[in-house]
């Protein structure tokens, strides 16, 4: 067993089962005498919902993913060659392939809107950026990816300012709107996650408080009974002492 094998198993799991499975894998490595592997397993981070969904696509839809990432290579090559025709064609196919793969990822998974937006953001990053593509191919994402550089767009050779082709300004505006919406969705998702975490912590604290309060109440009832028995014992002791003194006095008569 090595780290790659363990990571492949863990990142195929939904986030809800990741932590428990990671603990079991680390314990198994420790029982096998491999403390170093156990430590490395313990460092593996739990994926977000959107990262898990993309990781799942690597395993369940490899053909569609390979097609999209291959198109990304064509897109980057067309950008490097400043080939407007090839770049325009690749851009058109990019929308088709990204949309198809996004729909496949959403099938059979109840994903929140924020996760859906992050999936699209991750796929876009993988198409535009080779490093992002390599991360997606591994199937071990722990968080969504994003691309902050310049997206490939056709550029006319020659001096002077380039005139945007028809529709490019609209595409850029739509892209900015999509980025804004994705950012807002991510912020809301983070806020919702924090709220869920503290709601869970509150419920746990309330449960613990209730259990301890009940225990204290039981102990107080036991203490009250013990005090009563102590008072009764003290009363019997006083009676016994008094009667013993009387009996001793009669002996002296």
């Amino acid at each position: 067993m090595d780290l790659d094998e363990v990571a492949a198993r863990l990142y195929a799991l939904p986030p809800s089962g990741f932590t428990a499975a990671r603990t079991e894998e680390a314990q198994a490595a420790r029982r096998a005498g491999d403390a170093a592997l156990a430590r490395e397993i313990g460092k593996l981070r739990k994926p977000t919902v959107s990262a898990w969904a993309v990781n799942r696509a690597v395993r369940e839809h490899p053909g569609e993913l390979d097609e999209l990432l291959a198109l990304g290579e064509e897109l980057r090559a067309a950008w490097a060659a400043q080939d407007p025709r090839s770049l325009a064609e690749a851009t058109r196919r990019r929308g088709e392939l990204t949309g198809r793969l996004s729909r496949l990822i959403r099938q059979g998974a109840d994903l929140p809107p924020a996760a859906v937006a992050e999936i699209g953001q991750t796929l876009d990053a993988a198409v535009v950026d080779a490093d992002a593509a390599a991360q997606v191919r591994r199937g071990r994402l722990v968080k969504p990816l994003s691309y902050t550089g310049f997206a490939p767009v056709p550029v006319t050779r020659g001096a002077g300012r380039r005139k945007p082709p028809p529709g490019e300004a609209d595409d850029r505006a739509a892209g900015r709107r999509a980025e804004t919406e994705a950012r807002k969705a991510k912020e809301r998702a983070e806020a919702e996650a924090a709220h869920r975490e503290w709601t869970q912590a509150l419920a746990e604290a309330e449960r613990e408080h209730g259990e301890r309060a009940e225990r204290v109440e039981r102990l107080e009832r036991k203490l009250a009974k013990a005090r009563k028995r102590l008072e009764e014992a003290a009363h019997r002791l006083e009676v016994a002492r008094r009667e013993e003194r009387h009996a001793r006095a009669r002996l002296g008569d």
Side-chain angles (χ1 to χ4, degrees):
M1 179 173 63
D2 60 23
L3 186 62
D4 286 338
E5 293 176 3
V6 175
R9 288 194 293 269
L10 290 178
Y11 285 109
L13 298 173
S16 59
F18 182 90
T19 302
R22 180 183 61 190
T23 300
E24 292 177 3
E25 294 280 6
Q27 290 174 346
R30 197 170 287 108
R31 287 194 298 270
D34 197 337
L37 177 59
R39 287 193 296 271
E40 291 302 314
I41 293 172
K43 294 177 183 179
L44 295 176
R45 294 172 56 195
K46 176 181 174 180
T48 65
V49 172
S50 60
W52 161 75
V54 176
N55 291 339
R56 189 182 66 164
V58 175
R59 296 167 177 83
E60 297 185 1
H61 308 291
E64 290 79 1
L65 181 65
D66 285 345
E67 188 176 4
L68 180 63
L69 297 184
L71 176 65
E73 295 177 1
E74 295 178 16
L75 189 68
R76 294 191 295 274
W79 166 250
Q82 293 294 283
D83 184 344
R85 181 175 298 179
S86 298
L87 191 52
E89 175 60 19
T91 300
R92 182 189 64 78
R93 291 178 55 211
R94 170 188 178 183
E96 295 177 359
L97 296 181
T98 301
R100 184 197 309 167
L101 184 55
S102 295
R103 287 190 295 273
L104 289 173
I105 291 174
R106 294 197 300 270
Q107 287 178 1
D110 185 16
L111 300 174
V116 173
E118 289 173 351
I119 289 169
Q121 172 185 309
T122 299
L123 295 180
D124 283 340
V127 170
V128 175
D129 183 69
D131 290 338
Q135 292 181 58
V136 169
R137 282 188 190 277
R138 293 189 70 201
R140 300 184 193 175
L141 294 180
V142 297
K143 62 181 180 180
L145 302 179
S146 61
Y147 182 72
T148 57
F150 293 103
V153 294
V155 175
T156 303
R157 294 182 181 276
R161 195 163 190 168
R162 180 180 67 88
K163 181 179 180 180
E168 182 179 321
D170 293 339
D171 291 343
R172 289 182 174 178
R176 287 192 293 270
R177 288 195 299 271
E179 290 177 0
T180 299
E181 291 173 1
R183 184 180 67 255
K184 290 181 178 179
K186 181 180 180 181
E187 291 173 352
R188 173 147 185 100
E190 291 174 348
E192 290 175 347
H195 180 259
R196 286 194 299 270
E197 180 179 348
W198 283 111
T199 297
Q200 183 178 355
L202 174 60
E204 180 66 19
E206 289 177 339
R207 182 192 63 77
E208 182 180 2
H209 179 271
E211 290 177 352
R212 292 185 182 277
E214 184 178 350
R215 183 180 179 186
V216 168
E217 186 178 351
R218 289 198 302 270
L219 291 173
E220 287 179 341
R221 287 197 298 267
K222 289 182 180 180
L223 179 60
K225 291 180 181 178
R227 289 186 184 280
K228 184 176 181 181
R229 289 195 292 269
L230 178 62
E231 291 176 358
E232 293 172 350
H235 177 70
R236 289 194 296 272
L237 176 62
E238 181 62 27
V239 170
R241 283 174 175 170
R242 185 178 64 247
E243 293 303 322
E244 188 273 337
R245 287 196 301 270
H246 290 168
R248 187 162 19 97
R250 287 197 301 271
L251 286 174
D253 292 342

